[in-house]
Structures are given as structure tokens and as C-alpha cells.
Amino acid sequence: MATAAPAIDSNVSRFVAQTHKMLINGKWVEAASGKTFATFNPATGEILANVAEGDREDINRAVQAARAAFETGPWSRISPAERGKLIWKLGDLIDKHLEEFAQLESLDNGKPLRVARAADVPLTVEHFHYYAGWATKIEGNTIPLTMQAANKYHAYTLREPVGVVGQIIPWNFPLLMAAWKLGPALATGCTVVLKPAEQTPLSALRLGELIQEAGFPDGVVNIVPGYGETAGAALAAHPDVDKVAFTGSTEVGKLIVQAATGNLKKVSLELGGKSPNLVLEDADIEAAISGAASAIFFNHGQCCCAGSRLFVEKKIFDKVVDGIARSAEKIRVREGFDPESDMGPLVSEEQLNRVCGYLESGIKEGAKPVTGGERLGNKGYFVKPTVLVNTNEKMKVEREEIFGPVVAAIPFSDPNEIVARANDSVYGLAAGIWTRDLKKAHTLAAKLRAGTVWINCYNVFDAALPFGGYKQSGWGREMGHEVLEQYTEVKSVCAAL
Ligand code: ADP
């Protein structure tokens, strides 16, 4: 495996070398317990940084700060225009430090530096800019009452911030997921306690510095790194948190729902997937091959919407599978800082074991890897991009979310049965359709039980386009104006005239 000498930005190496504190009420503080935890470089398995380990007491302090900022601090009196300007400025500051964030993301998560430069960071900037615009456009309605004489009552709705929000995010797009959560919360005037994933806390901590530099009042955004079972669970259960927004596994999503019952806080969830990607025989085959390959291999398959069940019409099955296998073999799996890296290591040893465990179980049950099927090398957490055939719907590799670069290619011969097969999953996050036939494309799109359907494309994200899941892929939508509903309460005001 070739490894080029990494050119780490001096700001990044200085930042990484610190013992990282947490951001509570505008101050960088140690954990109440004094404990720290390590985050690892997935390319080498070595310790990358030490970070304050938040737990229940830190969450209590952060929630208290967020509550005070929401109720009585300057944030509670700020104009929507000022709020919007702060959010825009935060976007600009991230843009100014694009290279630094891309490097942090690559070091902590393992993804190729050039992917972080081209995708994670610019999308984050765009996200904050998009929600900056919404801060001045959150409106209620005037409502003519239906059962009363006109002019007897004046009734209207106010759309108000939901309050103190707990946000728990995953490690696959650490900075971007923070933006998905923070953008709408700040636009609507909420205050936040954000818990980054324990595998990848660094970019959120650097973001905390820029939040201060942008001029957000103390306590509006508090950032508490720590483990899920401790800090995350305390945040989800906290009686003074009004809403929890979570992105992660369906399994943990269910725990969040249970934890939220204490004070019946609002819950939004963006969870797992096992997304079907359908290639019909009239598709542009070359486009479908490259699209289906990137649907599963982008971000090493560590995407909740990864196109991991690839249904291909029988007549073209061999050709498509062969094309995807060839694409997989061309992927240069190297550490993220290698300028030629197309795919880095998986994020953690746990994730490596999980993905390899699925590969072993699938192969034992009769699945055949056309390419890949195993770990790559013995240092770091690299896995070979894998295309499996001979799977069936009873196998775990076809049913469960692997969250790695592994696609099950499944032939189908009856187009009438494909909708039922594609929908035969507990998940419903995304789906893809490859065809030249417009009628088929839109008819299928309407029938697929998924929050996003891509036609002749995949993984196209935009701040304006809602994203979220049917079934066990989640509750509510992120992005667009849809997400604003998750961060606001509607108040009806009715006055007798
Ligand atoms: P993965 O299994 O891919 O690591 P998780 O769903 O476990 O994904 O993690 C997503 C986020 O949820 C992380 O920030 C993690 O710390 C947090 N988390 C994990 N377990 C819990 C829990 N019991 N309560 C609250 N948050 C949790």
C-alpha cells in the first residue's frame, strides 16, 4: 500500500496536539470528572488526540447554560436579521478555514482529504448560508375562523423556537452532520447542546471556536464530547431539554425514543438504511454502473443512504455486476492524506470488525464476492470494496445495514415484483432508479417507500432538499424548510374583537 507523506497544516497539527476541552456557556472547560478519552487515526490505529470526556454532570451544566441563553440571554432578544447574519458569518468562517477542516476530518474519520475538501466542508458552508436566509422567513398565518362571524375574532399563529435542543450526531460526516443539526436550530432561535460522536469529535470542537469567533452569545451552542451511553444518554433523557435530534443507528434511535419519554421531549431521528438501487434493462448502462458504484462506495459505504441492495434486471445483470466489480478494483484504498486515495480506512476498529463479520457470515451462507470480500492489509481499518452475488433475502448481508463498502447485487426478471422486493425492508431512507423510460421512473418513484428517490443519479444532496426516512429509517426530515417544523412550536392566538 503506497503512503505519501502527509502535509499537515501547522494550525491543524497544533490544534490536534492540544488536550481538548468542551464548550459550555462560552468557556472551554475540562470534564467535571477530569477524565479524557482518546480519538484514533483510523489509518494507523494510533491515538490522534485526547478529548475531555463529558458525562451527566457536564450535560447538566451545558443544558443549564443553554436554558439561560434561551430564556434570558441576549439570544432571546436578538432580531431575526442579526441571527441570520451570525449564521452566515459562521459559514464564511468555515469557508475561510476550509483546508483546516478538511484535514481534521480526514485525520479523525479517515476519509480522503480531497473528498473532505470537495464535499464535506463546502456542503457545510452552503448549509449554514442556506439557513442564514431562513432566520428572517419564519412566519405564522392569519386564520379566519370558520364557525364565527367575520370580525368577531382575530386569530393568528406564531411559530416559536422549540427551546433547548439536544443534538447527537454520528461519525460518518462529522462536520456536515453538525451543520445539518445546528443550521435549523440556530435559524429558528433555539439553543443547543451538541454531542459529537466519540470517534470524531475534533471538527465539532474547532467549529466551537469559530462559533465564538462569529459572535454567538455564550450558551447558545454548547459542545460536549463524550460517549453515547453516558453523555449521549444523559442528553436524550434530560428533563430540561425540549427536543432531541439524533442521527445514527436505528438501534440507538430506539434508545433515544425511550430516553425521551421522561419529559416527552420532541424527537427527530435520521437512522439507518438498506437502500435499494434499481437498474432496469433500458438504463444507460455506463451511467448506471458508475452511479451504482458510487452509491455504495462513496464515503466507504459509511452513508445511511448507501445503495447497498442493487437490483439489476436479469438481461443486463452480468454486465452491470462486472462493470461495478471493475470500478471497485480501480478504487485506490489508501490513507486519507495520500493524494491518490479514493477510499480511506473505515472509521474504527469496531467498524472494521463489524463489516468483516458481515462479510464472513455472508460468505459462509453462500454469498460469493465477485471482488473484495475481506480486510485490506493488517494496519489501519481498511476493507476491500466488495461486490457480493448469490445472496438471498434471508441473509444478513441483504437485510441488515453493513455501513461499509459492500453491495449485494441481486438479479430480477419480473419488473412487476421489483417494487415489493425493494420495499421488503424495515428501512425506508433512500432508493435509486436507473432507466431511460420516464414513465417507469416516476411510477416506480411513487411506489417506493423511501424518503428520497434518486432517478439516474445518487447521493445528490442539497440544503434545500428534505432528507429523512420512512419506516425505521427515522422520524421527521432534515434540510429544506421541512426541518424548520422540527425546531418550532406553533402557537395559536385568538383575540375577541
Ligand atoms: P454507530 O453504531 O454507527 O457508531 P451510533 O448510533 O452508535 O452509531 O452513534 C451515533 C451517535 O449516537 C454517537 O454520537 C454516539 O455517541 C451516540 N450514542 C450511542 N449510544 C447512545 C445512547 N445510548 N444514547 C444516546 N446517544 C448514543
Side-chain angles (χ1 to χ4, degrees):
M1 199 187 314
T3 46
I8 300 187
D9 180 286
S10 58
N11 285 336
V12 173
S13 45
R14 216 172 310 124
F15 180 78
V16 170
Q18 299 168 24
T19 296
H20 297 272
K21 296 182 176 174
M22 55 184 82
L23 180 61
I24 297 180
N25 206 19
K27 314 262 169 332
W28 289 96
V29 295
E30 289 176 3
S33 66
K35 284 201 223 165
T36 61
F37 68 100
T39 163
F40 298 88
N41 178 342
T44 60
E46 286 158 12
I47 291 180
L48 179 64
N50 287 300
V51 180
E53 185 187 325
D55 203 336
R56 182 174 304 275
E57 179 52 25
D58 309 286
I59 292 291
N60 284 342
R61 292 174 188 180
V63 170
Q64 218 174 10
R67 174 60 60 192
F70 183 73
E71 305 280 351
T72 54
W75 187 247
S76 63
R77 298 182 294 275
I78 196 172
S79 69
E82 281 307 313
R83 231 168 43 220
K85 278 184 204 157
L86 286 173
I87 302 169
W88 186 277
K89 189 167 172 195
L90 179 59
D92 281 352
L93 284 171
I94 297 165
D95 198 21
K96 191 171 143 199
H97 295 276
L98 187 147
E99 177 62 18
E100 212 181 310
F101 274 107
Q103 293 201 6
L104 273 179
E105 220 61 333
S106 175
L107 283 172
D108 214 7
N109 165 281
K111 64 180 67 199
L113 180 52
R114 61 193 178 85
V115 173
R117 275 181 191 142
D120 297 63
V121 191
L123 284 170
T124 299
V125 172
E126 177 52 31
H127 202 81
F128 281 116
H129 284 166
Y130 175 82
Y131 281 101
W134 272 112
T136 48
K137 292 161 198 73
I138 294 163
E139 300 170 340
N141 296 312
T142 51
I143 317 270
L145 298 190
T146 58
M147 308 206 10
Q148 305 293 336
N151 301 333
K152 203 168 169 204
Y153 294 95
H154 173 49
Y156 59 94
T157 55
L158 296 174
R159 201 166 263 285
E160 299 178 342
V162 72
V164 173
V165 180
Q167 303 187 316
I168 301 173
I169 56 171
W171 45 257
N172 55 347
F173 296 90
L175 180 68
L176 185 60
M177 291 300 103
W180 280 25
K181 294 282 180 279
L182 288 170
L186 296 172
T188 49
C190 297
T191 60
V192 175
V193 177
L194 176 77
K195 193 204 82 66
E198 54 270 40
Q199 297 85 350
T200 54
L202 297 181
S203 56
L205 295 172
R206 181 71 183 106
L207 180 66
E209 294 181 348
L210 296 192
I211 285 169
Q212 291 185 294
E213 191 179 331
F216 284 89
D218 292 350
V220 171
V221 179
N222 305 274
I223 302 177
V224 181
Y227 291 104
E229 310 78 60
T230 53
L235 185 54
H238 201 289
D240 202 27
V241 169
D242 298 300
K243 170 195 164 60
V244 63
F246 171 77
T247 297
S249 59
T250 291
E251 192 189 346
V252 174
K254 291 179 183 177
L255 296 176
I256 301 280
V257 170
Q258 287 165 12
T261 56
N263 70 337
L264 281 185
K265 59 176 65 66
K266 311 286 186 271
V267 179
S268 55
L269 305 168
E270 200 260 273
L271 307 175
K274 190 76 184 173
S275 298
N277 197 6
L278 318 182
V279 184
L280 310 194
E281 66 177 42
D282 59 12
D284 172 339
I285 305 270
E286 288 316 311
I289 288 171
S290 88
S294 98
I296 184 63
F297 298 132
F298 176 63
N299 212 43
H300 327 166
Q302 301 171 137
C303 294
C304 42
C305 56
S308 52
R309 286 186 297 146
L310 179 67
F311 292 96
V312 186
E313 212 158 347
K314 210 165 199 163
K315 238 168 140 180
I316 54 167
F317 183 77
D318 289 344
K319 189 166 179 200
V320 170
V321 168
D322 185 62
I324 293 172
R326 296 294 81 78
S327 305
E329 282 155 12
K330 282 195 205 123
I331 292 174
R332 295 161 300 181
V333 185
R334 302 184 188 165
E335 70 168 285
F337 265 58
D338 186 322
E340 295 194 328
S341 172
D342 298 315
M343 183 185 282
L346 301 185
V347 73
S348 63
E349 190 173 0
E350 186 187 351
Q351 200 56 22
L352 173 74
N353 293 336
R354 181 188 151 93
V355 172
C356 290
Y358 273 113
L359 288 173
E360 278 160 28
S361 94
I363 291 166
K364 208 151 106 198
E365 288 176 305
K368 185 168 155 274
V370 181
T371 186
E374 59 189 359
R375 183 179 181 183
L376 177 65
N378 53 16
K379 186 179 160 209
Y381 313 136
F382 299 89
V383 170
K384 292 183 184 168
T386 298
V387 180
L388 295 177
V389 293
N390 287 352
T391 60
N392 66 54
E393 69 282 0
K394 293 203 178 67
M395 292 182 186
K396 286 203 294 185
V397 287
E398 244 195 59
R399 301 212 70 79
E400 297 181 13
E401 182 175 47
I402 298 176
F403 225 64
V406 181
V407 65
I410 307 157
F412 72 93
S413 36
D414 180 358
N416 294 322
E417 71 176 25
I418 194 54
V419 170
R421 289 177 74 184
N423 285 338
D424 178 22
S425 168
V426 298
Y427 297 113
L429 191 57
I433 301 168
W434 299 85
T435 176
R436 286 192 171 101
D437 184 326
L438 275 177
K439 183 175 171 188
K440 275 192 206 164
H442 293 290
T443 307
L444 277 172
K447 289 183 177 163
L448 291 169
R449 304 273 299 157
T452 295
V453 178
W454 284 294
I455 299 174
N456 295 328
C457 60
Y458 210 93
N459 281 334
V460 177
F461 286 96
D462 193 280
L465 196 61
F467 182 78
Y470 283 42
K471 299 191 265 181
Q472 293 188 35
S473 289
W475 288 352
R477 292 293 176 271
E478 310 240 36
M479 302 202 280
H481 58 79
E482 299 286 341
V483 70
L484 301 171
E485 296 194 1
Q486 317 278 334
Y487 285 89
T488 47
E489 292 277 16
V490 173
K491 180 181 285 172
S492 292
V493 181
C494 181
L497 298 178

